[in-house]
Structure formats: C-alpha cells, structure tokens
C-alpha cells in the first residue's frame, strides 16, 4: 500500500483515472483535475510560529481539512500524492534531509503509519535527499485542563533523541501535516539543534488558526 508507484505507470494512471476529488475530470495535478486543484484553499506562504518560519501550502479549510483527516485517521492513503504534491510547489530552502514529525508508538499502533513520514518519503524522493528520523516521541497524553506553560513543558518532554548512528545533517526540513501553535515543531527543532543541526526549516500541509 505504501509502495511508490512507478512514474511511468503513474502517468498512465493519471490519464485513465478521474480526479480523486470530483470523480469527473481527468487527473492533471497530483491525482486531481485542474478545476479542483485551483479551488483548493491555497496559502503558499511563510507563517511564523514559536520563532520558526514555516512554509505552509494550505489554509486548514474545506476540503483540505477533510482530506487531511481522512489521510491521517481513515487510512485513505490515496491522498498522499495530492498532499506531497502540494509541498513541491512551495519555496523550499536548500536542505540535506527531511525530518518528519515523529508520533508515539501508541499513535503508530492506532493508525498503522506516521502520516508525516509517508509524505516525507514522497517529498524526499522528489528532492533526491534522505528522510532522517533521529528523534522519537514518547506517549502523547491529553492536554485538556493544562495551562499554556504546562502544555509546552509536556510537549518538550515528549521528544527524545533516539539515534544510534553517527549520521548528522546540518540543514534539515521538519515536515508536519497541520500546524496550529507550532509547539511540536519547536520541541523537535530543539532536539535537532542539540544533534548539531545549524539550519532547521519547517514545512506543513496546512496552517490552522490558533
Ligand atoms: Zn476534480
């Protein structure tokens, strides 16, 4: 299911299969037709959260919110080309590796995959660079009833350096699906800097209002 489709076969499928959003017109842009592609809630801007500049492809709005939910929680992996394809159009800096936002073992067991890793693999292939996962995430607990500071502390503590190799990259791109407050990206960035990264950039599919 997670295997990449051969580019030639992919081209043939594009001309044979209809758009995955409207089901009517031909696929033209990463599994969707031209009309649907143009009507997506594009943002394509740099947003700032927790002093991190994040390249965001979309506003977290219809139909992107539904698509991301289905991709993340309902195993609808056929949206991966659309989601990764939207990142290719962003002004990405020169980087040596992509670091997907890690998820805990518990979340991984529930979902069966890390949605950011699926997208990171596609983007990395396109950019011809590796995916790097030197940071792990411990159990993610509910944050209801916690103060802002308590929440930030708890998020910081979830991220742990977990790499056994000596491989290090200096310029990396963190990849997340939806960014709200940016506190997970901030926590991940700190660990990457502790590992010696000098430039830590970020990109996300969609930016949600705080
Ligand atoms: Zn369409």
């Amino acid at each position: 299911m997670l295997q990449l489709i051969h580019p030639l076969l992919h081209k043939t499928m594009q001309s044979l299969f209809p758009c995955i959003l409207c089901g009517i017109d031909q696929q033209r842009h990463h599994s969707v037709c031209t009309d649907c592609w143009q009507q997506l809630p594009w943002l394509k801007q740099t947003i700032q959260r927790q002093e991190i500049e994040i390249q965001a492809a979309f506003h977290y709005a219809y139909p992107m919110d539904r698509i991301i939910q289905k991709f993340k929680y309902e195993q609808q992996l056929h949206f991966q080309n659309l989601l990764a394809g939207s990142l290719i159009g962003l002004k990405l800096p020169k980087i040596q590796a992509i670091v997907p936002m890690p998820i805990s073992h518990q979340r991984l067991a529930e979902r069966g995959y890390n949605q950011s890793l699926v997208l990171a693999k596609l983007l990395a292939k396109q950019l011809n660079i590796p995916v790097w996962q030197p940071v792990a995430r411990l159990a993610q607990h509910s944050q209801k009833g916690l103060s802002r500071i308590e929440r930030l502390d708890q998020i910081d503590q979830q991220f742990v350096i977990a790499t056994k190799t000596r491989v290090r990259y200096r310029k990396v791109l963190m990849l997340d699906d939806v960014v709200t407050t940016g506190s997970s990206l901030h926590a991940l960035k700190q660990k990457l800097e502790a590992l010696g990264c000098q430039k830590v950039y970020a990109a996300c599919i969609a930016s949600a209002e705080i």
Side-chain angles (χ1 to χ4, degrees), residues 62-109:
Y62 183 84
M64 237 342 123
D65 48 0
R66 298 263 299 270
I67 292 170
I68 293 170
Q69 294 278 324
K70 283 170 187 281
F71 173 67
K72 199 165 165 178
Y73 303 111
E74 298 175 27
Q75 283 81 39
Q76 297 208 16
L77 290 161
H78 63 284
F79 286 120
Q80 62 181 292
N81 283 326
L82 169 59
L83 296 172
S86 69
L87 296 167
I88 293 162
L90 297 176
K91 288 192 195 103
L92 298 175
K94 274 223 167 296
I95 40 160
Q96 296 165 317
I98 300 178
V99 180
M101 178 58 67
I103 61 173
S104 65
H105 283 297
Q106 167 204 353
R107 292 265 162 98
L108 187 64

Side-chain angles (χ1 to χ4, degrees), residues 7-209:
L8 269 178
L9 182 62
H10 187 239
K11 271 263 175 280
T12 314
M13 282 169 66
Q14 274 200 326
S15 58
L16 290 175
F17 290 97
C19 166
I20 59 166
L21 296 182
C22 66
I24 302 165
D25 292 330
Q26 230 177 58
Q27 294 186 1
R28 295 276 183 210
H29 314 266
H30 311 287
S31 321
V32 303
C33 72
T34 301
D35 270 2
C36 288
W37 179 257
Q38 286 172 350
Q39 283 170 28
L40 291 171
W42 290 103
L43 177 61
K44 279 194 184 174
Q45 276 179 24
T46 309
I47 56 164
Q48 192 138 11
R49 298 280 190 277
Q50 315 277 343
E51 293 169 8
I52 304 171
E53 294 201 339
I54 308 160
Q55 297 287 323
F58 299 105
H59 292 283
Y60 191 61
Y62 183 84
M64 237 342 123
D65 48 0
R66 298 263 299 270
I67 292 170
I68 293 170
Q69 294 278 324
K70 283 170 187 281
F71 173 67
K72 199 165 165 178
Y73 303 111
E74 298 175 27
Q75 283 81 39
Q76 297 208 16
L77 290 161
H78 63 284
F79 286 120
Q80 62 181 292
N81 283 326
L82 169 59
L83 296 172
S86 69
L87 296 167
I88 293 162
L90 297 176
K91 288 192 195 103
L92 298 175
K94 274 223 167 296
I95 40 160
Q96 296 165 317
I98 300 178
V99 180
M101 178 58 67
I103 61 173
S104 65
H105 283 297
Q106 167 204 353
R107 292 265 162 98
L108 187 64
E110 286 162 14
R111 288 178 203 166
Y113 53 95
N114 173 353
Q115 73 280 359
S116 296
L117 173 61
V118 173
L119 300 178
K121 281 181 179 170
L122 284 173
L123 186 61
K125 190 163 193 254
Q126 196 67 230
L127 300 175
N128 203 20
I129 54 174
V131 170
W132 189 35
Q133 299 185 85
V135 178
R137 194 161 184 175
L138 307 175
Q140 296 165 248
H141 300 295
S142 166
Q143 298 209 310
K144 280 188 189 135
L146 297 182
S147 72
R148 185 177 168 273
I149 299 292
E150 284 170 335
R151 269 193 329 234
L152 290 177
D153 268 359
Q154 203 199 55
I155 289 175
D156 272 343
Q157 287 163 17
Q158 286 173 7
F159 290 81
V160 289
I161 291 174
T163 179
K164 290 185 183 110
T165 68
R166 286 167 167 265
V167 176
R168 299 284 186 271
Y169 297 99
R170 282 181 297 126
K171 295 177 187 173
V172 300
L173 179 79
M174 302 182 288
L175 183 61
D176 203 355
D177 51 0
V178 181
V179 169
T180 312
T181 62
S183 42
S184 321
L185 284 174
H186 180 261
L188 176 59
K189 185 180 182 218
Q190 295 208 313
K191 295 297 175 214
L192 292 171
E193 284 172 346
L195 281 162
C197 292
Q198 287 164 0
K199 292 277 183 190
V200 182
Y201 303 99
C204 66
I205 301 292
S207 157
E209 296 303 318

